[in-house]
Amino acid sequence: EHNYSCDNAHTDLIHNVHKYIEEHFPNSALCLKDLARANFISIQYLCSVYRRATQSTIGNYIFEVRMWHVQKLIKDGQRNVTVISEACGYDDLGYFCKCFRKKFSMTPKQYIESINS
């Protein structure tokens, strides 16, 4: 499913990191320390292996997972932006709206209206 440029040990690590993020993304306190601890490695090693394997960052992956779930909630009919942001790991509505605009080039309200039109 994913094509990483690393050996099997690192492929397993990346898979475990992705699985952990997908299970814990609603927690706004999700952090690198938790991911490193769950995999029994240092934060520095985790970030280094991840970047080499994916050419991206863990923070970016968390962002993409959260935005995918935001989109899914909206498509499933959720219209309350506060509920959406909190369900996807954002406890600061202003920051959520900034992240949403970065991803979709419009506000959550504009996106919701565009789906309903």
Side-chain angles (χ1 to χ4, degrees), residues 36 42-49:
S42 73
I43 292 171
Q44 293 77 8
Y45 182 73
L46 172 64
C47 291
S48 169
V49 167

PDB file of all heavy atoms in Angstrom, residues 36 42-49:
ATOM      1  N   ALA A  36       7.195   8.336  19.899  1.00  0.00           N
ATOM      2  CA  ALA A  36       8.514   7.752  20.180  1.00  0.00           C
ATOM      3  C   ALA A  36       8.403   6.728  21.309  1.00  0.00           C
ATOM      4  O   ALA A  36       8.924   5.611  21.203  1.00  0.00           O
ATOM      5  CB  ALA A  36       9.514   8.850  20.536  1.00  0.00           C
ATOM      6  N   SER A  42      13.929   7.087  20.420  1.00  0.00           N
ATOM      7  CA  SER A  42      14.014   8.521  20.716  1.00  0.00           C
ATOM      8  C   SER A  42      13.248   9.327  19.667  1.00  0.00           C
ATOM      9  O   SER A  42      13.042   8.863  18.534  1.00  0.00           O
ATOM     10  CB  SER A  42      15.476   8.973  20.735  1.00  0.00           C
ATOM     11  OG  SER A  42      15.993   9.017  19.412  1.00  0.00           O
ATOM     12  N   ILE A  43      12.867  10.525  20.052  1.00  0.00           N
ATOM     13  CA  ILE A  43      12.179  11.431  19.128  1.00  0.00           C
ATOM     14  C   ILE A  43      13.086  11.719  17.925  1.00  0.00           C
ATOM     15  O   ILE A  43      12.634  11.716  16.777  1.00  0.00           O
ATOM     16  CB  ILE A  43      11.786  12.750  19.846  1.00  0.00           C
ATOM     17  CG1 ILE A  43      10.699  12.483  20.893  1.00  0.00           C
ATOM     18  CG2 ILE A  43      11.325  13.786  18.837  1.00  0.00           C
ATOM     19  CD1 ILE A  43      10.393  13.674  21.790  1.00  0.00           C
ATOM     20  N   GLN A  44      14.371  11.950  18.186  1.00  0.00           N
ATOM     21  CA  GLN A  44      15.313  12.281  17.114  1.00  0.00           C
ATOM     22  C   GLN A  44      15.410  11.143  16.098  1.00  0.00           C
ATOM     23  O   GLN A  44      15.369  11.372  14.888  1.00  0.00           O
ATOM     24  CB  GLN A  44      16.709  12.574  17.683  1.00  0.00           C
ATOM     25  CG  GLN A  44      16.800  13.825  18.529  1.00  0.00           C
ATOM     26  CD  GLN A  44      16.223  13.678  19.950  1.00  0.00           C
ATOM     27  OE1 GLN A  44      15.870  12.578  20.408  1.00  0.00           O
ATOM     28  NE2 GLN A  44      16.111  14.796  20.651  1.00  0.00           N
ATOM     29  N   TYR A  45      15.523   9.912  16.596  1.00  0.00           N
ATOM     30  CA  TYR A  45      15.627   8.751  15.714  1.00  0.00           C
ATOM     31  C   TYR A  45      14.332   8.586  14.918  1.00  0.00           C
ATOM     32  O   TYR A  45      14.347   8.363  13.703  1.00  0.00           O
ATOM     33  CB  TYR A  45      15.932   7.490  16.528  1.00  0.00           C
ATOM     34  CG  TYR A  45      16.094   6.249  15.677  1.00  0.00           C
ATOM     35  CD1 TYR A  45      17.228   6.064  14.885  1.00  0.00           C
ATOM     36  CD2 TYR A  45      15.103   5.273  15.646  1.00  0.00           C
ATOM     37  CE1 TYR A  45      17.370   4.928  14.102  1.00  0.00           C
ATOM     38  CE2 TYR A  45      15.239   4.139  14.860  1.00  0.00           C
ATOM     39  CZ  TYR A  45      16.374   3.975  14.088  1.00  0.00           C
ATOM     40  OH  TYR A  45      16.508   2.858  13.303  1.00  0.00           O
ATOM     41  N   LEU A  46      13.206   8.718  15.599  1.00  0.00           N
ATOM     42  CA  LEU A  46      11.901   8.603  14.958  1.00  0.00           C
ATOM     43  C   LEU A  46      11.775   9.590  13.798  1.00  0.00           C
ATOM     44  O   LEU A  46      11.422   9.208  12.679  1.00  0.00           O
ATOM     45  CB  LEU A  46      10.795   8.867  15.990  1.00  0.00           C
ATOM     46  CG  LEU A  46       9.372   8.986  15.467  1.00  0.00           C
ATOM     47  CD1 LEU A  46       8.914   7.680  14.842  1.00  0.00           C
ATOM     48  CD2 LEU A  46       8.432   9.389  16.590  1.00  0.00           C
ATOM     49  N   CYS A  47      12.081  10.844  14.052  1.00  0.00           N
ATOM     50  CA  CYS A  47      11.942  11.882  13.024  1.00  0.00           C
ATOM     51  C   CYS A  47      12.902  11.649  11.861  1.00  0.00           C
ATOM     52  O   CYS A  47      12.533  11.833  10.696  1.00  0.00           O
ATOM     53  CB  CYS A  47      12.159  13.268  13.625  1.00  0.00           C
ATOM     54  SG  CYS A  47      10.827  13.735  14.740  1.00  0.00           S
ATOM     55  N   SER A  48      14.111  11.224  12.181  1.00  0.00           N
ATOM     56  CA  SER A  48      15.119  10.970  11.155  1.00  0.00           C
ATOM     57  C   SER A  48      14.700   9.826  10.231  1.00  0.00           C
ATOM     58  O   SER A  48      14.735   9.950   9.004  1.00  0.00           O
ATOM     59  CB  SER A  48      16.453  10.661  11.843  1.00  0.00           C
ATOM     60  OG  SER A  48      17.377  10.168  10.910  1.00  0.00           O
ATOM     61  N   VAL A  49      14.306   8.706  10.818  1.00  0.00           N
ATOM     62  CA  VAL A  49      13.878   7.550  10.029  1.00  0.00           C
ATOM     63  C   VAL A  49      12.631   7.909   9.207  1.00  0.00           C
ATOM     64  O   VAL A  49      12.549   7.591   8.021  1.00  0.00           O
ATOM     65  CB  VAL A  49      13.578   6.334  10.943  1.00  0.00           C
ATOM     66  CG1 VAL A  49      12.844   5.234  10.183  1.00  0.00           C
ATOM     67  CG2 VAL A  49      14.867   5.803  11.547  1.00  0.00           C
TER      68      VAL A  49
END
